[in-house]
């Protein structure tokens, strides 16, 4: 008797549960249908054909479904989740930023494989434009945008939409692996300096003091210095203007009138001085006794009291 069992060794379980196939990829704008699918562009998930769901349901895969996308022509790869299974057979639809990372054109071939990723604990992003600094709370905006993503890959440039404006961020680092899952995770987020950002130059205190001391005389002239003698111009009887230019004496710092500093100033407190009435001055008893008061003396009478006529 001959045995017709050609496979003496069983197929490993890891290969039985693996999904791997190739699709023609297109951007979401090419998706046919009356409904607007702009929500796909705001996240990191793709749309696959129904046959993929049928094949995945027969495999004992781990949920949530995560996939590795590879462009074999350019040796670029990224990771993503799946949003729906409504694409035409042999076609998958990707967000535009994902096609840019993979260097794919419309109708290009992409390899799709099912993978298991570790849960993210840390990620670092670098905005690709200084305009990202205009956002008041960037961490809250990024946290809200990452709800539409399933995973992150180090080196990818993701796109988020905020206030009808697209912001691109490069994934600089992810922990504990270069590709991580961000579904139901507690992840710490950090930001690197935006691309093209220049810190403003800070002037040292020493240079500021030198600038104040070496100020021009025009700066002092703008201040209230009071009366200065011989600062006007003269007139000649012959009508000539030669030698009538004023030659004022050099400015003495003691001539400059400066304001009275507020010695009661406290850091972090702003005081608004109004036109208030001055408080009445308290008068001591001695000053009150010596102070002149009109009609406060005693009078004298010519008629003596107690004398009978």
């Amino acid at each position: 008797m001959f045995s017709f069992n050609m496979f003496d060794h069983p197929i490993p379980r890891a290969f039985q549960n693996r999904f791997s196939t190739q699709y023609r990829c297109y951007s979401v704008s090419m998706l046919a249908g009356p409904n607007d699918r702009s929500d796909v562009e705001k996240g990191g998930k793709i749309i696959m054909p129904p046959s993929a769901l049928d094949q995945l349901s027969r495999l004992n895969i781990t949920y949530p479904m995560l996939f590795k996308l590879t462009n074999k022509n350019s040796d670029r790869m990224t990771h993503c989740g799946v949003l729906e299974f409504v694409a035409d057979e042999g076609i998958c639809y990707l967000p535009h930023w994902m096609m840019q990372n993979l260097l794919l054109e419309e109708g290009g071939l992409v390899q799709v494989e099912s993978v298991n990723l570790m849960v993210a604990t840390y990620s670092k992003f670098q905005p690709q434009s200084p305009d990202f600094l205009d956002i008041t709370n960037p961490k809250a905006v990024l946290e809200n945008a990452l709800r539409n993503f399933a995973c992150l890959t180090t080196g990818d440039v993701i796109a988020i939409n905020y206030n009808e404006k697209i912001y691109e961020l490069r994934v600089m680092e992810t922990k504990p692996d270069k590709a991580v899952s961000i579904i139901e995770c507690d992840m710490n987020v950090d930001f690197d300096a935006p691309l093209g950002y220049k810190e403003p130059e800070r002037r040292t205190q020493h240079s500021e003091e030198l600038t104040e001391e070496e100020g021009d005389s025009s700066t002092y002239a703008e201040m209230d210095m009071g009366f200065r003698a011989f600062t006007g111009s003269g007139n000649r009887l012959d009508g000539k203007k030669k030698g009538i230019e004023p030659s004022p004496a050099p400015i003495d710092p003691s001539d400059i009138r400066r304001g009275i500093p507020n010695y009661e100033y406290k850091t972090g407190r702003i005081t608004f001085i109004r036109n208030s009435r001055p408080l009445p001055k308290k008068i001591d008893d001695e000053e009150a006794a010596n102070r002149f008061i009109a009609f406060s003396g005693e009078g004298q009478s010519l008629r003596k009291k107690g004398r009978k006529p």
Side-chain angles (χ1 to χ4, degrees):
M1 298 292 292
F2 295 95
S3 175
F4 292 96
N5 186 9
M6 300 177 61
F7 302 99
D8 295 335
H9 301 283
I11 300 176
R13 187 178 181 84
F15 291 96
Q16 293 179 358
N17 299 336
R18 184 179 179 183
F19 173 85
S20 180
T21 185
Q22 275 191 346
Y23 292 112
R24 294 279 181 184
C25 66
Y26 294 92
S27 59
V28 183
S29 59
M30 304 292 291
L31 181 60
N35 298 329
D36 182 20
R37 300 312 307 270
S38 59
D39 56 333
V40 184
E41 292 286 354
K42 299 179 182 179
K45 299 179 182 179
I46 65 175
I47 297 179
M48 301 174 66
S51 60
L53 177 61
D54 185 28
Q55 187 176 353
L56 288 167
S57 60
R58 296 179 183 180
L59 300 175
N60 188 17
I61 63 173
T62 305
Y63 290 88
M65 298 181 185
L66 301 177
F67 300 94
K68 176 183 177 181
L69 306 182
T70 308
N71 182 6
K72 295 183 178 181
N73 295 331
S74 61
D75 198 20
R76 301 288 293 269
M77 67 92 180
T78 186
H79 297 79
C80 66
V82 58
L83 184 64
E84 292 179 358
F85 295 92
V86 296
D88 297 334
E89 294 299 330
I91 297 176
C92 68
Y93 296 95
L94 279 65
H96 181 67
W97 65 265
M98 194 176 295
M99 294 185 65
Q100 287 183 330
N101 289 331
L102 295 173
L103 302 179
L104 285 170
E105 296 181 355
E106 300 290 343
L109 289 174
V110 60
Q111 184 75 22
V112 183
E113 302 175 8
S114 60
V115 293
N116 296 329
L117 300 178
M118 302 178 66
V119 180
T121 58
Y122 173 81
S123 61
K124 187 176 183 179
F125 299 88
Q126 182 190 30
Q128 299 299 291
S129 173
D131 296 341
F132 190 75
L133 299 176
D134 298 337
I135 301 177
T136 305
N137 193 349
K139 285 192 175 182
V141 173
L142 182 62
E143 180 183 356
N144 187 37
L146 289 180
R147 294 177 182 177
N148 299 321
F149 289 74
C151 47
L152 295 173
T153 306
T154 302
D156 280 359
V157 178
I158 65 174
I160 62 175
N161 189 352
Y162 178 69
N163 279 350
E164 299 181 356
K165 188 174 182 179
I166 302 298
Y167 296 94
E168 293 184 344
L169 296 93
R170 180 178 295 276
V171 183
M172 302 297 294
E173 183 182 359
T174 55
K175 293 181 181 180
D177 203 354
K178 291 186 177 180
V180 291
S181 171
I182 60 173
I183 299 177
E184 296 182 359
C185 69
D186 187 8
M187 179 179 63
N188 295 324
V189 178
D190 194 8
F191 291 99
D192 202 352
L195 193 65
Y197 172 74
K198 295 182 180 179
E199 294 186 0
E201 298 180 358
R202 298 182 179 180
R203 300 175 60 184
T204 59
Q205 184 177 1
H206 179 68
S207 61
E208 292 179 357
E209 293 177 355
L210 292 177
T211 305
E212 293 179 358
E213 293 177 359
E214 299 175 358
D216 298 333
S217 60
S218 60
T219 306
Y220 293 107
E222 295 176 358
M223 302 179 65
D224 185 10
M225 295 179 295
F227 171 75
R228 294 185 64 204
F230 307 106
T231 57
S233 59
N235 295 314
R236 296 179 52 159
L237 296 177
D238 55 3
K240 297 182 179 180
K241 296 184 178 181
K242 183 179 179 181
I244 62 174
E245 289 80 8
S247 56
I251 300 174
D252 189 1
S254 60
D255 296 338
I256 302 174
R257 297 181 182 178
R258 300 182 181 273
I260 301 174
N262 184 10
Y263 295 103
E264 298 180 357
Y265 171 75
K266 295 182 180 179
T267 305
R269 182 178 178 182
I270 301 177
T271 304
F272 296 95
I273 302 176
R274 307 291 184 182
N275 295 328
S276 57
R277 296 180 179 178
L279 297 176
K281 185 178 179 181
K282 295 183 179 180
I283 302 174
D284 298 338
D285 295 339
E286 295 180 358
E287 293 181 359
N290 298 329
R291 186 177 179 183
F292 170 76
I293 301 176
F295 306 105
S296 60
E298 295 181 357
Q300 301 292 333
S301 176
L302 297 177
R303 184 178 179 183
K304 294 181 180 180
K305 296 182 178 180
R307 180 180 179 182
K308 293 180 180 182

